[in-house]
Amino acid sequence: MLVATVQGSRLQAAKASKSQAPFLCPNCQETVILRQGTVRVAHFAHRSTIACAWTVGESQAHLQAKQAMADALRNSGYDAEPEVPLGAQRADVYAERDGERFVVELQHTPIDPREIERRTRGYVDMGLHVAWVSLVDIDYRCFLRPSDIPIPMRYSPRPFERWIEVFSFGQVPMFNPLLGGVLCGKLRAYRTSVPVSEWTERGGAQRSAGGYEKSSRRYADLFCEAYLPLECLQLERSWRSVELRVGGMSFPRGGLAKLTVRR
Ligand SMILES: [Zn+2]
């Protein structure tokens, strides 16, 4: 986690010093250890044996992404902080500016789309505008090379990315914290060709199959709709006016946020 409690106040690991110990987990109130180094992002860690819900799914990439996103939004003039408790939930990044309130959720581990939906409803009911971003480890900088014809990347979307795609009006914001920007990805059907096969049946009849193209169930063609450099990242308010149901997934009515760049 990036934030611990020290004498009743929130303290970010990036700004903490060991002399301020003890640090407490804001969730389970157990003592946590400050970890600062040159390679890993500064964070607090539970002693390994403690079962705390806040340790679930906490990879270095997730910690790094939350810190990078909060820092980027702060540089863009938002009052932004990582890991902010809101009701019964904990927002990965909370950002506020000119009375507009946002939550940015960074998802990397497989999650049931119904869980994303539940969390989104929680935020929407609080009047917040939510952006869901998929954490990826692919190098999407290839999209930055000038090219006359857009070249897609073969990509295997996770079910929650399909949810994000519909939620974000057809775009999947993707973030690799090791790179300097957010990719607004667009998924299109990936066509695979079924090779021709021929055989002879017992009566001597010739049969053949295949020789056509079909959409892959596993892969999609990933295109770059926009690349948003972190240093000019902005959040734009948007609304879904009616509750939407698509293929067993549902999308609450209310506020959402679009990642964009300063113009
Ligand atoms: Zn804890």
Side-chain angles (χ1 to χ4, degrees):
M1 69 184 72
L2 298 170
V3 179
T5 308
V6 175
Q7 295 177 343
S9 302
R10 281 168 55 84
L11 179 68
Q12 286 194 40
K15 297 172 187 165
S17 78
K18 289 218 155 74
S19 63
Q20 289 167 290
F23 309 107
L24 304 182
C25 167
N27 185 48
C28 68
Q29 309 303 325
E30 289 290 335
T31 309
V32 286
I33 310 151
L34 174 64
R35 295 228 165 104
Q36 288 167 322
T38 47
V39 181
R40 300 170 126 215
V41 60
H43 65 283
F44 296 101
H46 285 83
R47 286 161 213 283
S48 57
T49 51
I50 288 171
C52 170
W54 283 21
T55 61
V56 177
E58 278 286 80
S59 64
Q60 268 296 307
H62 192 223
L63 291 170
Q64 210 170 10
K66 288 193 278 192
Q67 190 70 61
M69 187 58 71
D71 290 348
L73 291 170
R74 209 169 313 113
N75 289 336
S76 291
Y78 292 87
D79 197 353
E81 272 199 63
E83 298 179 356
V84 176
L86 293 166
Q89 314 194 95
R90 176 178 62 150
D92 283 341
V93 177
Y94 172 78
E96 206 180 295
R97 197 176 69 179
D98 304 328
E100 299 180 349
R101 302 186 304 141
F102 301 95
V103 163
V104 181
E105 287 287 353
L106 299 148
Q107 192 59 41
H108 64 137
T109 46
I111 179 176
D112 188 330
R114 281 171 299 187
E115 176 59 17
I116 293 201
E117 188 196 309
R118 192 188 62 77
R119 288 196 217 165
T120 304
R121 257 176 230 287
Y123 293 132
V124 165
D125 290 347
M126 286 182 249
L128 297 155
H129 289 257
V130 194
W132 282 92
V133 177
S134 169
L135 279 196
V136 292
D137 54 15
I138 52 170
D139 188 350
Y140 43 71
R141 285 174 302 182
C142 55
F143 290 120
L144 299 179
R145 279 186 223 122
S147 150
D148 294 337
I149 309 153
I151 302 160
M153 185 189 283
R154 193 181 71 165
Y155 185 72
S156 177
R158 296 164 284 181
F160 73 83
E161 289 173 311
R162 291 293 191 187
W163 190 94
I164 294 175
E165 181 188 19
V166 179
F167 178 74
S168 313
F169 302 113
Q171 248 183 22
V172 186
M174 293 178 170
F175 184 40
N176 178 342
L178 299 175
L179 308 179
V182 173
L183 174 84
C184 292
K186 199 94 184 166
L187 299 170
R188 299 249 164 77
Y190 176 81
R191 311 286 292 171
T192 51
S193 56
V194 180
V196 180
S197 58
E198 291 174 331
W199 68 96
T200 309
E201 285 196 333
R202 224 179 281 163
Q206 293 288 314
R207 297 281 182 203
S208 70
Y212 56 89
E213 283 202 332
K214 62 167 190 177
S215 289
S216 166
R217 287 166 71 93
R218 177 165 176 207
Y219 294 111
D221 270 337
L222 173 66
F223 288 88
C224 171
E225 193 148 87
Y227 184 81
L228 316 174
L230 278 190
E231 58 272 18
C232 34
L233 200 66
Q234 299 276 303
L235 293 165
E236 208 174 270
R237 288 189 301 168
S238 184
W239 284 268
R240 173 167 283 104
S241 52
V242 285
E243 170 102 15
L244 180 68
R245 280 177 200 283
V246 181
M249 303 184 286
S250 64
F251 303 85
R253 190 186 138 195
L256 56 137
K258 192 177 158 33
L259 291 159
T260 176
V261 284
R262 231 188 337 255
R263 289 191 190 94

